[in-house]
Amino acid sequence: MSMPQPRQASARTPGAPELPYYEDFSPGHGALPPRAWTPASDAARLSLNGLWRFRLSPSAEAEDTSFVRRDFDASRWDVLPVPCHWPLHGHGAPWYTNARYPFPVDPPHVPTENPTGDHRLAFALPDTWPADGECVLRFEGIESCARIWLNGEELGVFKGSRLPAEYAVGHLLRPVGNVLAVRVHQWSSGSYLEDQDMWWLPGVFRDVMLLHRPAGCVPDFFVHAAYDHTRGAGTLRVDAPSGCRVTVPELGVDIAAGESVTLPVEPWSAEVPRLYAAELAGEGERVPFRIGFRTVAVEDGVLTVNGRRVLFRGVNRHEFHPSHGRALDLATMREDALLMKRHNINAVRTSHYPPHPAFLEMCDELGLWVVDECDLETHGFGEVGWAGNPVDDDRWTPALLDRADRMVERDKNHPSVVIWSLGNECGTGRGLTAMARRIRERDPDRPIHYEGDLSCADTDLYSRMYADHAEVELIGRREELPWGDPERDARRRAMPFVLCEYAHAMGNGPGGLLEYQRLFEAHERLQGGFVWEWIDHGIARRTPDGRRWYAYGGDFGEDMHDGNFVCDGLLFPDRTPSPGLVEYKKVIEPVRIEGDAAAGTVCVTNTHDVMDLSHLRFTWTYEVDGVTAAQDCLAVPPLAPGESTELKLPEPAASDLAGEAFWQVRAVLERDMPWAPAGHEVAWGQWPALVPSTARPAAGGSAPHAPRAAEGGVVLLGPGTFDAARGELRLIDGYAVSGPRLDVWRAPTDNDEGAPWQPDVRYGQLWREAGLHRMRHRVDEVVVEDGGLTVRTRVAPAAKAFALRTVYRWTADGDRLRLEVDVTPEGEWTLPLPRLGVRLGLCSTLTSAEWYGGGPGEAYPDTRAASRIGRHTAPVEALQTPYVRPQENGARADVRWVRLRREDGTGVAIEGEPPFWFTARLWTTEQLDAAAHTTALVPGDTLWVNLDHGQQGIGSQSCGPGVLPRHRLDAAPASFSFTFSSLTGDH
């Protein structure tokens, strides 16, 4: 066969000095033209993944190229697995920056200190390897620049780290004794195009493969599979070389390449990912592939697929593994896709580069809309006012077009890919326009996305990052503020809108998800968004005693870094879902279930884009004080998307249970799906019954106790023992107590601390400046009266005039000790409070918690959609949320009572009125605030318990908007109470 000719390096500018290959403006050279990725064919292939020999040098010029010779002795070199990043295997160290380049901005030059890894693999061809035809060597990804040799002959130079390149090698291969040599540079001119808010991790990090290309093979093909929703018909055409045939057995299709056929088909969508198995046969090769019929369009200002508006319930996904970086295995990729589907996520933006191609196969199969983003970001030029930005410098345009070509050609046959994205945070320039033009010429059937140009000159969609709720509502009404000239404003306002990044999932949060989702649902133009981001990029480490922790920026000695900004995902590094992901699943659930307590009905609304509800089974439960009193199935018709029905709930049967009653309705899978088993919960709703099933019995019943003084300077009141001078509780029925006393401080979250570029007030810093982390407590009066004990205090920060006047009133009734707290602000409070409640210390032998209230996970005022009222239990250690950078966490919302127990069942019970937030941990808030990593949190001898009347919301200000006004905890008069009692082992 005749092989396509390799791409050539771009011509050097006349008169310019010769640049080394790793610094020139070219996209590399020697590679064959890009083509579609195929996971399999009947042509032979040989994986070259495995153990390679490796040598690291400190600069690009430090070593000669003698290692490329077949007879070179590399036996003393280290052994390195490929794919991998060499800093994760003991050679050098990772480096994290968000936007700033970790080298001087002097394009296209890079520092002399340029870690360079030489890789060498000796291999033989299998005995069954065909003797005829040609062969190509394929690299799926190398960061950031590589020079490649086979058997001493140079093949070319690789740039464009997260895109593939193939090299013709058939004339060089031998049956045995082949030597593949690859020199990889950490820094190159390509690094200026790859500033993508992630660890800088050099290496051959994706698969290396040898592919046989027999005579009459299929060099490339392009599947066009449109769907006409008005006729229910699909039109198929596969562009491929003459002589190839396309067969689709299920549809009875057998046509020549280039021919079209129209016939009835079932369409592909993210909700119903219908694929048809097909085969493309050339004279010498058969290529299996899968077809998904679908048509993407922008119609009347709305993005549609198959004629229906779609709503992206999306995430931004970097490729990451805590031990392997971006060198992901197939199982990890599949775990990502399955976790997304199980949490109601329907869309992925491949931030900020094309993923491993196998991930897109999984998106085709399982059903995820994909915004496929080019391997391009020049964010660091923003630090220098965008001077010299490559996307506005014609010398870089060949490299930009090369990256666009390689993305489109590789991924063009995936039905899941519905949008092409030019890149991320590159400013504006002629190079982006050239990329958009090239992509449209090759594939006019997918719209183009780019966020960084408000004029939307090159795009089909209006996209923004982190616009706040008020602005998003204006955009939804097509009333956003003008930008540029009227003609461009009008064009932009006619476009669909997506938030390509929103709800920054850094640390505790994000808050405000529910309010965003309601806006998306209310305005047709708003087509959803993509939470930033999928996973924390914490690198796994171990302490000397074996405890695991996760490193972030600065933990490897970087002299310039962006700290834990690399840990901003909905998954923890080990892929455990965070509370933020649980919240997001609830907020974006595709079935809305709302109850009307007065009418005794439930309204079920199908918010899917495509599916009816026939795949779901509905059940109802009637619970009293968290205990199931009755339950049954609920007959819900198979509503079409957008349809609702109101159903009457049964009258609950008479029950001996007394207390607070709630209805709960759940939607679960009726049958196994490819992404979850039958019974998997998709959606739920919960609401209080109109009245309690019966009156709650009065607590206690004994006569109130009068306080009495005792020896040792204490006051005895019921089960409580108090310090007579300070009025502080010391014992409850023999259980040692420290406090309780007013507490307003929380270890600031990443969202409390905020980002310096965000316009909203950064309360974490202001709280600290105001001294709320070092409040002083002054006891003004301790009064022992017949009715109880009253303690009047003033709580205030040093050096400030404002305060909180706090009165504690203690009474006892039988074996129950009641505390009433009244708080009155004094002076001028210009800040909301982090929290408002009391903190007390108990014995650390209380190791388990049971509570009636919100759970099972943590919740805060603007992150509580997923919190269900019920009875929950957990070990105290499980109440902690292990954010990579420790911060406020673990609060349970709407708690009515909590019981803390020892192993023998004895312990302390606490009831609250009104319902409260409950937090318990074996370290103080101050220790939590001071810790940089979870390993700094060492359990102590005291269990510190916070009982909060109020909490400040969370927001998304680590990169997005702050806390919405309705979720602020403003300083205002407040009254709340708690009742304490002891538990016996049989209680």
Side-chain angles (χ1 to χ4, degrees), residues 53 130 139 143 215 303 351 368 375 552 709 904:
R53 290 291 179 174
F139 292 88
E143 184 175 333
L303 177 71
S351 55
L368 288 163
D375 188 11
Y552 49 75
D904 63 5

Side-chain angles (χ1 to χ4, degrees), residues 27 153 396 415 656 868 926 959:
E153 295 291 328
W396 293 89
D656 294 333
R868 300 186 220 211
E926 291 72 22
C959 192

Side-chain angles (χ1 to χ4, degrees), residues 699-705 717-720 733 811-817 980-981:
S702 303
H705 288 269
L717 178 61
D733 266 349
T811 58
D813 185 359
D815 59 357
R816 296 159 58 84
L817 187 64
F980 304 87
S981 59

Side-chain angles (χ1 to χ4, degrees), residues 21 28 224 237 270 680 777 946:
Y21 63 89
H224 303 272
R237 187 185 83 247
H680 168 81
H777 297 252
N946 277 90

Side-chain angles (χ1 to χ4, degrees), residues 552 745-750 752-753 764-765 767-768 772-774 835 839 885-889 921 923-933 936-937:
Y552 49 75
W745 181 244
R746 75 184 187 193
T749 68
D750 291 313
D752 290 337
E753 298 286 16
Q765 294 184 352
W767 289 336
R768 210 179 295 275
L772 300 190
H773 61 308
R774 47 176 172 78
R835 68 181 345 133
R839 174 165 51 160
R885 185 192 74 80
Q887 55 198 271
E888 165 62 32
N889 73 87
R921 55 177 69 104
W923 39 79
T924 65
T925 301
E926 291 72 22
Q927 290 168 326
L928 183 65
D929 187 17
H933 296 93
L937 297 170

Side-chain angles (χ1 to χ4, degrees), residues 122-251:
F123 68 96
L125 296 178
D127 293 340
T128 56
W129 193 262
D132 62 340
E134 297 287 345
C135 293
V136 299
L137 178 66
R138 182 180 178 94
F139 292 88
E140 293 292 350
I142 306 175
E143 184 175 333
S144 73
C145 171
R147 190 177 176 193
I148 304 163
W149 297 264
L150 181 65
N151 292 332
E153 295 291 328
E154 183 172 354
L155 302 179
V157 170
F158 179 110
K159 293 181 186 176
S161 297
R162 282 151 285 277
L163 290 160
E166 293 182 334
Y167 302 87
V169 296
H171 60 295
L172 299 174
L173 283 172
R174 302 164 179 258
V176 296
N178 295 288
V179 172
L180 176 58
V182 184
R183 171 164 285 177
V184 181
H185 305 290
Q186 173 154 9
W187 309 122
S188 71
S189 56
S191 301
Y192 285 100
L193 305 180
E194 297 171 4
D195 187 25
Q196 291 137 322
D197 183 13
M198 58 188 182
W199 294 100
W200 298 91
L201 289 170
V204 182
F205 71 97
R206 285 185 184 162
D207 305 302
V208 184
M209 186 79 67
L210 187 65
L211 304 173
H212 181 241
R213 309 308 295 137
C217 69
V218 179
D220 192 17
F221 64 105
F222 194 167
V223 178
H224 303 272
Y227 181 73
D228 184 342
H229 66 279
T230 63
R231 295 189 297 152
T235 298
L236 174 65
R237 187 185 83 247
V238 178
D239 293 337
S242 176
C244 292
R245 293 200 68 82
V246 179
T247 55
V248 189
E250 187 177 355
L251 296 175

